[in-house]
Amino acid sequence: MAKTGKENGSFIAEGGAIPALYRLFRSTNPVAQENALTAILNISIHDENKRKIMEENGCLELIVYVLRYGLTTEARENAVATLFSLSAVHDFKKMIVDEHGVVAALANLLMQGSPRGKKDAVMALFNLSTHPESWSQMLNMGVVSALAGTLRDEIVAEEVAGALTLLMRHHILAQTIASEDTAITNLVGLMKRGTPKAKENAIAALQEMCRRGGLNVIHNVAKMPMFNGLIQTILL
């Protein structure tokens, strides 16, 4: 019912289903856990329900529990999709980032998940990276390395470059990302082979890297093979 009909999600939430559903997140029955998480995901799509989910004491903690320890791939992927949905609201971003284990779990799924899981993980990280207080968690939990390493993945490269652009607005992260062996190489490569939006995001990421990273970063970007030629091609 939550999946169909615009008003069903609201009716289900108003009827008190959220606490009954999230208690099943710790179920040892894979089907029960997966279906309960899927129902919460579908309920969360409606904006008015996002707050109801976040205000339920322990619900966010158990969504993260399923993300980390879910009994099925579908349950784990629906957990990250739910976090992506909830992180669209600015007020909730810091709450999600501060939840124990969530950032590391998203980074791990970004590197090892299915195509769908990777897509939702990077979009959740993208949303979270727009909060000014999120960068330290992103740095400490391995998100920078995970993002830099997945720039070659065509499934998520466009969104990854966009997330890196936002993170590099802090000079420490710009220097950290630039120090990753593959970051500059992969961004320049994305300028050559990516979609129009991916190329745009790659250029924006390199611009932020140069603005915030210092003279050594500028030198390292400028000396990349193909870089000048690609800039001329894009300008034309």
Side-chain angles (χ1 to χ4, degrees):
M1 289 187 291
K3 190 176 183 179
T4 58
K6 291 183 178 180
E7 296 182 333
N8 285 358
S10 295
F11 292 152
I12 292 169
E14 289 169 5
I18 293 173
L21 286 167
Y22 84 75
R23 291 189 187 104
L24 291 172
F25 291 176
R26 285 193 181 273
S27 173
T28 56
N29 183 317
V31 176
Q33 184 189 66
E34 182 179 311
N35 287 345
L37 205 293
T38 305
I40 288 289
L41 168 60
N42 290 328
I43 290 170
S44 77
I45 292 171
H46 301 277
D47 287 344
E48 66 270 19
N49 291 337
K50 290 179 170 63
R51 185 168 298 278
K52 292 177 182 177
I53 292 170
M54 292 296 290
E55 288 177 349
E56 284 289 343
N57 186 33
C59 189
L60 175 61
E61 178 185 354
L62 288 182
I63 293 171
V64 176
Y65 171 83
V66 178
L67 170 62
R68 300 174 70 188
Y69 308 115
L71 300 174
T72 67
T73 299
E74 186 76 12
R76 294 191 296 273
E77 290 181 345
N78 283 345
V80 74
T82 303
L83 291 172
F84 169 37
S85 174
L86 296 172
S87 65
V89 178
H90 184 76
D91 291 347
F92 302 152
K93 293 175 183 178
K94 187 64 165 58
M95 294 170 63
I96 294 171
V97 166
D98 287 345
E99 189 65 38
H100 176 72
V102 66
V103 175
L106 288 170
N108 183 64
L109 191 64
L110 178 60
M111 293 184 291
Q112 301 181 11
S114 68
R116 179 202 165 199
K118 288 182 178 182
K119 192 83 169 180
D120 284 335
V122 74
M123 292 306 297
L125 289 168
F126 181 93
N127 282 350
L128 297 175
S129 67
T130 64
H131 195 286
E133 297 180 35
S134 68
W135 71 267
S136 59
Q137 284 275 41
M138 298 284 192
L139 179 60
N140 294 336
M141 296 299 171
V143 170
V144 170
S145 296
L147 288 169
T150 51
L151 281 166
R152 288 184 175 275
D153 190 333
E154 294 180 3
I155 296 169
V156 295
E158 182 178 305
E159 291 81 6
V160 168
L164 287 173
T165 302
L166 292 174
L167 288 171
M168 283 190 289
R169 291 177 181 174
H170 195 288
H171 72 279
I172 293 177
L173 286 178
Q175 293 171 352
T176 302
I177 293 167
S179 69
E180 291 284 336
D181 292 339
T182 59
I184 297 175
T185 301
N186 288 347
L187 284 169
V188 172
L190 194 57
M191 289 169 57
K192 180 179 181 180
R193 58 179 168 75
T195 64
K197 183 62 177 178
K199 291 178 181 178
E200 181 181 322
N201 286 351
I203 293 168
L206 287 167
Q207 181 188 28
E208 284 297 329
M209 186 183 290
C210 291
R211 287 180 62 196
R212 314 283 183 179
L215 290 176
N216 286 337
V217 173
I218 294 172
H219 177 72
N220 289 337
V221 172
K223 73 179 184 180
M224 282 294 299
M226 305 185 301
F227 180 71
N228 290 330
L230 284 170
I231 289 292
Q232 292 174 8
T233 300
I234 291 170
L235 285 172
L236 295 174

